[in-house]
Amino acid sequence: MPKTHPIVILTGAGISAESGLETFRSADGLWANHRIEDVCTPEALARDPALVHHFYNQRRAALASVAPNAAHQALARLEQAWPGELLIVTQNVDDLHERAGSRRIIHMHGALNSALCAACGERQPWQGDLPPGAPCAACAAPMLRPDIVFFGEIPYHMDRIEATLARAGLFVSIGTSGAVYPAAGFVRMAGALGIPTLEINLEPSAGSGWFDECRHGPAGALVPAWVDALLAG
Ligand code: APR
């Protein structure tokens, strides 16, 4: 692969599992204990804002007691050492990539440490609990909501993601079940363009069959090994 072509790395909840954050679709994961339609849709926010805010306040609070793991750290190390462009596209709303040192990162499903004004669209950094009806710093409307892409909403920065993917030299997917589009479709987009694709996941995902190569096992071991080999090669 020419080192001038970007590496695009898609990450999902599995990369943060070894840090202690719950994934969504494991047997005891978040969607086993909460209904998506109760906490992760625009309709849920309109119907019961307190419940939706409580769910994301819990997620935000959980960030305080976790730290990046070896997989996050390896990707940050790769970004520093790789001579070409590298872009992490994460579905995760945690900040563990940033805390590990990654800088070229797109949060396509939003971020827990950000609040979005439903009235004017401005964002502001947010730590701690976000109560329903908190006022926007820009327009003062009492309509701040978690800056999270709910089911039924369009993920962020799709133009930039697709443009970078279109000129990539490698697409790697780490710790995602391949169940949620449009992210789950990136592997086929890359494949159609002749871009090599690699899956690193604990177990085969819904999209495994679309990848050129799959490595199955914990990200904390497999990602550092992949980064070491790539930098040595
Ligand atoms: N190492 C690697 N992979 C792991 C590990 C680990 N230590 N632990 C779990 N996994 C894998 C699981 O096997 C699973 O395939 O990570 C994947 C996590 O899948 P999901 O829980 O579905 O999470 P994700 O793919 O990120 O979900 C996508 O769905 O509802 C949402 O918006 C939410 O961004 C999220 C989206």
Side-chain angles (χ1 to χ4, degrees):
M1 172 184 56
K3 290 192 171 175
T4 49
H5 288 191
I7 301 176
V8 176
I9 302 172
L10 174 69
T11 65
I15 198 170
S16 296
E18 288 161 78
S19 293
L21 292 179
E22 292 170 275
T23 63
F24 293 94
R25 292 176 182 77
S26 64
D28 59 346
L30 287 167
W31 295 153
N33 297 308
H34 304 269
R35 285 163 22 115
I36 288 174
E37 55 270 40
D38 287 342
V39 295
C40 194
T41 65
E43 294 78 12
L45 183 65
R47 190 174 56 239
D48 193 346
L51 182 65
V52 174
H53 280 253
H54 178 64
F55 177 75
Y56 287 102
N57 286 341
Q58 287 181 312
R59 310 276 76 73
R60 196 178 301 105
L63 295 185
S65 57
V66 299
N69 65 54
H72 299 104
Q73 284 156 358
L75 295 186
R77 184 159 55 85
L78 180 61
E79 181 182 307
Q80 288 250 309
W82 186 248
E85 190 183 337
L86 182 143
L87 178 66
I88 295 174
V89 178
T90 189
Q91 299 167 90
N92 297 343
V93 293
D94 66 55
D95 60 351
L96 294 179
H97 283 303
E98 286 88 344
R99 282 200 255 160
S102 290
R103 292 294 169 261
R104 299 261 313 152
I105 174 160
I106 289 178
H107 280 272
M108 66 179 290
H109 290 172
L112 285 167
N113 57 18
S114 172
L116 172 69
C117 178
C120 75
E122 281 294 314
R123 295 188 161 79
Q124 61 190 81
W126 201 271
Q127 305 292 330
D129 282 357
L130 174 62
C136 170
C139 75
M143 293 186 70
L144 284 184
R145 55 164 274 185
D147 190 2
I148 301 291
V149 176
F150 294 141
F151 284 89
E153 297 182 322
I154 299 169
Y156 298 152
H157 306 300
M158 285 304 297
D159 289 354
R160 205 177 128 210
I161 295 168
E162 290 179 0
T164 309
L165 191 55
R167 56 190 176 79
L170 178 65
F171 171 71
V172 186
S173 172
I174 302 171
T176 176
S177 59
V180 176
Y181 285 80
F186 293 163
V187 60
R188 270 180 277 177
M189 199 182 303
L193 293 165
I195 298 162
T197 54
L198 167 66
E199 171 174 88
I200 298 176
N201 203 53
L202 190 60
E203 58 199 356
S205 74
S208 286
W210 297 102
F211 286 85
D212 297 318
E213 185 190 346
C214 296
R215 299 182 189 178
H216 293 142
L222 294 189
V223 175
W226 168 68
V227 166
D228 287 346
L230 191 66
L231 290 175

